[in-house]
Each structure stands twice: as C-alpha cells, then as structure tokens.
Amino acid sequence: MPVTIYDVAREAGVSMATVSRVVNGNPNVKPSTRKKVLAAIEQLGYRPNAVARGLASKRTTTVGVIIPDISSPFFAELARGIDDIASMYKYNIILCNSDERVEREVHLTNTLLEKQVDGIVFMGREITESHMQVFTTASVPIVLAGTKDPTGKLPSVDISHYDAGYDATKYLIDKGHRRIAMVTGPLIDPLAGMRRFEGYKQALTEAGLPLKDSYVYNGNFRYESGLAAVEQFLSLVEQPTAIFAVSDEMAVGVIHGLQDRGLRVPDDIDVIGFDNIRLAEMVRPRLTTVVQPMYDIGAVAMRLLTKYMNNEKVDHHIVILPHRIEERQSTKGRMTEEQQDELE
Amino acid sequence: MPVTIYDVAREAGVSMATVSRVVNGNPNVKPSTRKKVLAAIEQLGYRPNAVARGLASKRTTTVGVIIPDISSPFFAELARGIDDIASMYKYNIILCNSDERVEREVHLTNTLLEKQVDGIVFMGREITESHMQVFTTASVPIVLAGTKDPTGKLPSVDISHYDAGYDATKYLIDKGHRRIAMVTGPLIDPLAGMRRFEGYKQALTEAGLPLKDSYVYNGNFRYESGLAAVEQFLSLVEQPTAIFAVSDEMAVGVIHGLQDRGLRVPDDIDVIGFDNIRLAEMVRPRLTTVVQPMYDIGAVAMRLLTKYMNNEKVDHHIVILPHRIEERQSTKGRMTEEQQDELE
DNA sequence: GGTTTACATGAATACGATTGCATGCAAGAG
DNA sequence: CTCTTGCATGCAATCGTATTCATGTAAACC
C-alpha cells in the first residue's frame, strides 16, 4: 500500500536505481532527471523505508544507549549530550533503562545488536565479565560514558573520580577543617563509590588526619541518604565541621537534615556536593560542589563513537574530562589554630 | 560474515523456515527438531537480524518518542513511564528531543515514520496545522502525552489543566487568601500556559475577587522565572499573600526570592507549585503542589498506543488523568475576616 | 483398511531498498 | 574521423528474514 521507490521510478520514468541515487544525494545524476524524480517524490508523497535501506546498506544510522535511569537528573543530562551530538551526525537513539541490573544490561545490549545499531553508548556502574563477554561479540563499536572498564580495553569517557574525591576533601582541609565527614556512594560502585572514597582517604592521610569510620556514611546517591547521614554524624560526641557528599542530592539532604535540627550551613557546618545538577543552585544556601561535566561526557562519548563508526583514527580511546570545584554558599571554611593565634 | 538463519538451518539440518519458526516461538515444531535448532543457534552464536525481520514482517517492535527536552525532570519522568510500559510489551523506543520547535517536531516525526516505527508517542506544546498534516499521513498510531490537540481527533493522555488551575486557586481562597498572585507559563502554550490561567481566573471570579494584571507574572517554567516574579510582586503596594506558580521549579524560585528578601514562607506568604517533581520535597519549606501524575501519563499513553498497535478496541481515545493537591509546608493559610472576628 | 485430520517441514517468494557492473551516448583528444 | 574518456542510467543481484502453500507422514476415526 505505501508508495515505494519503484512507484516513484515509474512515475518519473526512470529506474529505481536512479531514484535511489537522488534520494541519497549521489552527484551522478543529471539535474533535469533529478528534478523529475524530486517532483515524482513530492507528487506521490514518497517516504523512503529506512528498514529496507538498513538491510541493503548494513547501516541503520541508529545507535543504542543504555542508561541506568533516565529519570535521574544526572543521567538525563548525559543523555541529552549524547542525543545532541547524535542528531548532529544524523543518528537516532534507542534509549534503554537498565536500572543497573546486570542481566538486563546484557539483555538490552543483545537486543540492540539484533536491531543492528551502528554503535552503542553504555552507561552503568560496574563492568563485569558478563558485560565484556557480550561487548566483545559485538561487531559494532561500544563506548562507555561515565564509567570505565577495569581492563582499560574499552573506549570510555569519564572524569577522574579519585582526583575529584581527593580535591573535594583537600578543598575542605585547606579551608581549615579537621573533622571532615563523608557521605559515600555504594562502595560496590568501583568509581563513583570506591574511587572517590579513596581520594578522600588519601587527602586525609596526606594532611595527617585520622580516618574515622563514624565519619563515613554509606549512601546511595539519593536525598534520603543525606538526611540519614546527618542523623549519624550528629549523634557523635565530636561532630564533623564539614561534610562531603558524593552527589548533590545527598548534599542537599545533608543541608536540610542539618537545618531541620537548627544548625546553619555554612555557619555551623560546611557542606560540599558532587555533580553540579541544577538542584545545586536551587537550594539555600546554594551548594558548593564538584562539577562534573555531565553533558560533555555524553557529548564526547557520542562524538568518540562516531569516529569509531566512521573508522576514523582516534588518538586516545580513554578520555578523562576535567572536573572542578564550584564554590558557592554552602562552604565558608573554619579558621585554623594558626589563624586564630594570629588574631590574638 | 555474521551468521544468518541460513547457517543455522544448515548446521541443524533443517530449512530456514523451521529455524524461523523456533526463533519466533511457533508451536508447530517437533520438540526434537526444536532442540536441534536451539543447539545450532547456541553453537553458532546466532543473533537474529531485526532489520531483516522488520522488512519481512512489517513490524519493528520499536516506537518513536518525541519529547521537548529529556533533561527536564518533568519530561524525564514521563519518558520513564513510557519506556517501562514499552519494555513490558517488548518494544524499544527511539527518543528524540525536539526543543519544542515545530519544524523539528515535524521533521522528527517524518524520520521516525521512515524508520518504520510501529507507533509514536508525542509530547509537545502546541499542536499546529503542520503537525496535523504529518500526523495524518502516518500509517501508524500516534498518541499525545501531556498535551491534547484542539480538534480532539488524536488520542491523548493528559490532566485537566483548567481544573488544576482552578483547584489550586480555590485551595488558596479557601485558606483565606484574598490577594493571590500567579506565575503562569508561556500563554502561547494553550494548556499548561493558557488553560491553567483560565482556571485561576475562574476561581477568582467565583469568589468575587478582582483579577489584577500586576498579580500575574508571565514565566517560562524555569527557576529564574520564580525569582523574577517575586521582584514584580514585592514592588507592589498591596503585596499578594499567596503565590501560585505553575511549575515546581518556578515555585521554588519564588520561595527563594522571598527568602532572599527576608520574607518567610509560609508565615509571610504562601506558595503553591505545580507538577510534584522530586524537587518539591527537596526544599525547605517543602512545597505544597498540584500533583500531576507524570509517570502515569507516560505509562498510560504508551499502554494506549499498544492497544492501537494491536488493533484492540479502545473505549476513550482521550483520557484525562486525575490530579490532586499535595499539602506540604509552603502553605498554611490566612485567617479570613470572619475567623478573626470570631476570635475577638 | 481406507479415509480423514492434524501436524511437521521445505520450497519459493516477497519485503524495499543499495550497489556493482554493463551499457549507451556525448564530448574531447589525436 | 576514429578512439578514448567520462558521465548518466538501467539491470540484476543481494541483504536476512517471514510466510504462504504444497507435501509428506503419522495418528485417528468408523
């Protein structure tokens, strides 16, 4: 029923090969016939069948995107970066939510490969053996965004979580803090969980500060974790003077937990977050945070993928994007003892 | 190079038709041969080519989703609802960001149709003539989510924006407010902009309250609009005692704008928002808001689409989901004069 | 035991494009 | 004027599957 390339050919009085050529912008067509064909297309309301084209050409101009949860602001921003670059290169995106479940991630990968996507951008937590197994059976490129595989084989785009954890902690130390608590992510997460925590530990160690278990709360990136963390920290005899939470949501939870107990931020306690989602500017006090270029991670990952898909030369298959600390109102620092001495 | 159904057939010593049958779960296959085929598939690592299947069967088990901006929490939640139901029915989704630009929406629709999606879920602002034109050329069902077309022809899932606007305003009136300001969306938006505003006007009228231009600020759903609105309202001699913002982001902007000026919410001014995104619970005071079932709108829209795709009977092609007001701490009301009289 | 019935399977074709190869023709070279 | 060259076009194979139809076989029936 729908009009095919053959109908157009008949209408224009040419062969289907010629129609195909004008549709695909092949220069080897006489302007006059091109015009005829275009007219026929317009006339008949012809819409090329991309599935047939995909079968014949072995390219679908579609890429798969596997994401933990699109309703998370962090990943949504990443996804937007991916899609913007994708559409810039004329690709469409098949978006799949994995909820970070390994079997599902593997299953989705297979589904995407069946659908003959030209490439895949993968976002997840841990890269396991199961992942590597499917990934290596793929005949199309796969790049990791916001993750890195332990073997370093796969192309990936991410920040240095270790450095970021270190920098945030160092920032607080330099501000004069000595009792610094941390709200971590799930430590099963090797990067956003573990590596950031290791950065924290390193910074403490270098400053000669003790690592106290009671100053570490194991969160899950969500707001409620922040609230819960405050409970733990405030029950201590020696309460922290600064709290480093590895997601903005948790950081805001911390701030509100503190405020609900009558403490002021940053007057009583400093708080620093992580990510720099829009929320960070939509709290009072505005949140000092480690900014992670989420949009860019997505965009760069997609750009990298296009290079692989076009068999272009790539210099570095692992790219580490810079992070930085955006100083806002949730941190103001403490005077160190030396500074206090000077004042006297 | 990749292994095809033909290779499997040879390996299993059957015809490709039989392989196709077992792959598609056709019951007309002797268990013993099914087993042989399955073994061959496993052995060869066969992965069915969904593109070829799509061409032959004329179904892609893929649906298109056009969305203004996936990085907006509101739409992200909607998208999640869509994807969950889609994957429940074994569909994948092609996600496209339109930025609410009409030409782009039209263009994306055409692209999706070329890719032979089995259906489309469309989210946008206004449904114009251009939209209707493409939509009607489509041979697959299209359902609107979070919008409605003026002609009422297209299937859609949404709330009643008019009622919601009315209810929010009425809520404030019942709380004793007489000076109620509103931060609207762009009035070009016929629903989230205009209809909510009309509900507001109606509620005022019924209560015998005047509609004052200075009490209306034209926002764009973003946080900054809320801040700006406060500027306008506080410059008035007779300042409002309650503010109704048609997005939570704007409402939070309003709250912060007020707080930044030393006013307290709700002690000095009540604020009510709209949407009930997670942010609403991540502010102090927590935001009273009109809850819009975003996830459900997406889910129901997708469910409706599956019915159309399966040629099932549908009772109502336009479905209006319920909204309600979630009362939190940003509203506490004012005593009316009568109440004050009673106290004396 | 012959006829009907149901099931299991294979051969062949359609799906709607892309693309390599052959061909015809006109222009340019010698 | 002939030969070469290159452009414009058509022919036909191909992509990997679904699906109809015909066929063969075994079970079921009276």
PDB file of all heavy atoms in Angstrom, chain B residues 40-53:
ATOM      1  N   ALA B  40      22.010 -25.549  17.517  1.00  0.00           N
ATOM      2  CA  ALA B  40      22.759 -24.912  16.432  1.00  0.00           C
ATOM      3  C   ALA B  40      22.892 -23.418  16.672  1.00  0.00           C
ATOM      4  O   ALA B  40      23.948 -22.818  16.448  1.00  0.00           O
ATOM      5  CB  ALA B  40      22.066 -25.187  15.104  1.00  0.00           C
ATOM      6  N   ILE B  41      21.815 -22.817  17.146  1.00  0.00           N
ATOM      7  CA  ILE B  41      21.829 -21.379  17.428  1.00  0.00           C
ATOM      8  C   ILE B  41      22.880 -21.060  18.477  1.00  0.00           C
ATOM      9  O   ILE B  41      23.698 -20.157  18.317  1.00  0.00           O
ATOM     10  CB  ILE B  41      20.428 -20.922  17.917  1.00  0.00           C
ATOM     11  CG1 ILE B  41      19.444 -20.933  16.753  1.00  0.00           C
ATOM     12  CG2 ILE B  41      20.512 -19.550  18.563  1.00  0.00           C
ATOM     13  CD1 ILE B  41      18.037 -20.544  17.140  1.00  0.00           C
ATOM     14  N   GLU B  42      22.848 -21.840  19.528  1.00  0.00           N
ATOM     15  CA  GLU B  42      23.804 -21.667  20.618  1.00  0.00           C
ATOM     16  C   GLU B  42      25.225 -21.834  20.094  1.00  0.00           C
ATOM     17  O   GLU B  42      26.102 -21.009  20.330  1.00  0.00           O
ATOM     18  CB  GLU B  42      23.506 -22.706  21.703  1.00  0.00           C
ATOM     19  CG  GLU B  42      24.525 -22.745  22.824  1.00  0.00           C
ATOM     20  CD  GLU B  42      24.369 -21.556  23.749  1.00  0.00           C
ATOM     21  OE1 GLU B  42      23.317 -20.859  23.663  1.00  0.00           O
ATOM     22  OE2 GLU B  42      25.272 -21.312  24.545  1.00  0.00           O
ATOM     23  N   GLN B  43      25.399 -22.912  19.388  1.00  0.00           N
ATOM     24  CA  GLN B  43      26.696 -23.281  18.824  1.00  0.00           C
ATOM     25  C   GLN B  43      27.307 -22.177  17.970  1.00  0.00           C
ATOM     26  O   GLN B  43      28.471 -21.822  18.112  1.00  0.00           O
ATOM     27  CB  GLN B  43      26.486 -24.554  17.969  1.00  0.00           C
ATOM     28  CG  GLN B  43      27.537 -24.824  16.915  1.00  0.00           C
ATOM     29  CD  GLN B  43      28.760 -25.477  17.530  1.00  0.00           C
ATOM     30  OE1 GLN B  43      28.675 -26.050  18.607  1.00  0.00           O
ATOM     31  NE2 GLN B  43      29.888 -25.360  16.853  1.00  0.00           N
ATOM     32  N   LEU B  44      26.458 -21.629  17.093  1.00  0.00           N
ATOM     33  CA  LEU B  44      26.947 -20.625  16.147  1.00  0.00           C
ATOM     34  C   LEU B  44      26.894 -19.201  16.714  1.00  0.00           C
ATOM     35  O   LEU B  44      27.430 -18.279  16.128  1.00  0.00           O
ATOM     36  CB  LEU B  44      26.120 -20.693  14.854  1.00  0.00           C
ATOM     37  CG  LEU B  44      26.599 -21.608  13.744  1.00  0.00           C
ATOM     38  CD1 LEU B  44      26.946 -22.984  14.303  1.00  0.00           C
ATOM     39  CD2 LEU B  44      25.533 -21.758  12.682  1.00  0.00           C
ATOM     40  N   GLY B  45      26.245 -19.054  17.825  1.00  0.00           N
ATOM     41  CA  GLY B  45      26.084 -17.706  18.371  1.00  0.00           C
ATOM     42  C   GLY B  45      25.223 -16.847  17.471  1.00  0.00           C
ATOM     43  O   GLY B  45      25.499 -15.672  17.247  1.00  0.00           O
ATOM     44  N   TYR B  46      24.184 -17.466  16.979  1.00  0.00           N
ATOM     45  CA  TYR B  46      23.293 -16.761  16.045  1.00  0.00           C
ATOM     46  C   TYR B  46      22.510 -15.652  16.745  1.00  0.00           C
ATOM     47  O   TYR B  46      21.994 -15.820  17.839  1.00  0.00           O
ATOM     48  CB  TYR B  46      22.311 -17.762  15.445  1.00  0.00           C
ATOM     49  CG  TYR B  46      21.172 -17.137  14.674  1.00  0.00           C
ATOM     50  CD1 TYR B  46      21.409 -16.429  13.504  1.00  0.00           C
ATOM     51  CD2 TYR B  46      19.867 -17.250  15.135  1.00  0.00           C
ATOM     52  CE1 TYR B  46      20.365 -15.870  12.806  1.00  0.00           C
ATOM     53  CE2 TYR B  46      18.815 -16.687  14.440  1.00  0.00           C
ATOM     54  CZ  TYR B  46      19.068 -15.999  13.274  1.00  0.00           C
ATOM     55  OH  TYR B  46      18.037 -15.442  12.581  1.00  0.00           O
ATOM     56  N   ARG B  47      22.434 -14.517  16.117  1.00  0.00           N
ATOM     57  CA  ARG B  47      21.660 -13.386  16.625  1.00  0.00           C
ATOM     58  C   ARG B  47      20.757 -12.915  15.491  1.00  0.00           C
ATOM     59  O   ARG B  47      21.257 -12.416  14.483  1.00  0.00           O
ATOM     60  CB  ARG B  47      22.620 -12.284  17.049  1.00  0.00           C
ATOM     61  CG  ARG B  47      21.986 -11.218  17.869  1.00  0.00           C
ATOM     62  CD  ARG B  47      22.914 -10.668  18.962  1.00  0.00           C
ATOM     63  NE  ARG B  47      24.323 -10.570  18.556  1.00  0.00           N
ATOM     64  CZ  ARG B  47      25.322 -10.414  19.406  1.00  0.00           C
ATOM     65  NH1 ARG B  47      25.101 -10.334  20.691  1.00  0.00           N
ATOM     66  NH2 ARG B  47      26.559 -10.332  18.972  1.00  0.00           N
ATOM     67  N   PRO B  48      19.455 -13.080  15.644  1.00  0.00           N
ATOM     68  CA  PRO B  48      18.519 -12.733  14.563  1.00  0.00           C
ATOM     69  C   PRO B  48      18.683 -11.276  14.140  1.00  0.00           C
ATOM     70  O   PRO B  48      18.908 -10.401  14.973  1.00  0.00           O
ATOM     71  CB  PRO B  48      17.141 -12.934  15.189  1.00  0.00           C
ATOM     72  CG  PRO B  48      17.357 -13.713  16.433  1.00  0.00           C
ATOM     73  CD  PRO B  48      18.773 -13.539  16.842  1.00  0.00           C
ATOM     74  N   ASN B  49      18.579 -11.031  12.883  1.00  0.00           N
ATOM     75  CA  ASN B  49      18.690  -9.669  12.367  1.00  0.00           C
ATOM     76  C   ASN B  49      17.318  -9.011  12.354  1.00  0.00           C
ATOM     77  O   ASN B  49      16.459  -9.313  11.532  1.00  0.00           O
ATOM     78  CB  ASN B  49      19.267  -9.712  10.956  1.00  0.00           C
ATOM     79  CG  ASN B  49      19.478  -8.335  10.395  1.00  0.00           C
ATOM     80  OD1 ASN B  49      18.692  -7.426  10.669  1.00  0.00           O
ATOM     81  ND2 ASN B  49      20.534  -8.163   9.623  1.00  0.00           N
ATOM     82  N   ALA B  50      17.126  -8.093  13.317  1.00  0.00           N
ATOM     83  CA  ALA B  50      15.812  -7.467  13.481  1.00  0.00           C
ATOM     84  C   ALA B  50      15.455  -6.580  12.300  1.00  0.00           C
ATOM     85  O   ALA B  50      14.274  -6.340  12.032  1.00  0.00           O
ATOM     86  CB  ALA B  50      15.772  -6.661  14.773  1.00  0.00           C
ATOM     87  N   VAL B  51      16.438  -6.091  11.585  1.00  0.00           N
ATOM     88  CA  VAL B  51      16.141  -5.244  10.434  1.00  0.00           C
ATOM     89  C   VAL B  51      15.511  -6.077   9.324  1.00  0.00           C
ATOM     90  O   VAL B  51      14.492  -5.700   8.742  1.00  0.00           O
ATOM     91  CB  VAL B  51      17.412  -4.538   9.931  1.00  0.00           C
ATOM     92  CG1 VAL B  51      17.152  -3.850   8.607  1.00  0.00           C
ATOM     93  CG2 VAL B  51      17.897  -3.537  10.965  1.00  0.00           C
ATOM     94  N   ALA B  52      16.130  -7.210   9.060  1.00  0.00           N
ATOM     95  CA  ALA B  52      15.564  -8.104   8.046  1.00  0.00           C
ATOM     96  C   ALA B  52      14.170  -8.550   8.475  1.00  0.00           C
ATOM     97  O   ALA B  52      13.224  -8.579   7.685  1.00  0.00           O
ATOM     98  CB  ALA B  52      16.464  -9.308   7.865  1.00  0.00           C
ATOM     99  N   ARG B  53      14.060  -8.864   9.736  1.00  0.00           N
ATOM    100  CA  ARG B  53      12.752  -9.264  10.242  1.00  0.00           C
ATOM    101  C   ARG B  53      11.732  -8.143  10.051  1.00  0.00           C
ATOM    102  O   ARG B  53      10.603  -8.382   9.647  1.00  0.00           O
ATOM    103  CB  ARG B  53      12.858  -9.605  11.722  1.00  0.00           C
ATOM    104  CG  ARG B  53      11.520  -9.766  12.400  1.00  0.00           C
ATOM    105  CD  ARG B  53      11.663 -10.056  13.859  1.00  0.00           C
ATOM    106  NE  ARG B  53      12.394 -11.304  14.074  1.00  0.00           N
ATOM    107  CZ  ARG B  53      12.864 -11.688  15.247  1.00  0.00           C
ATOM    108  NH1 ARG B  53      12.704 -10.900  16.301  1.00  0.00           N
ATOM    109  NH2 ARG B  53      13.491 -12.824  15.372  1.00  0.00           N
TER     110      ARG B  53
END
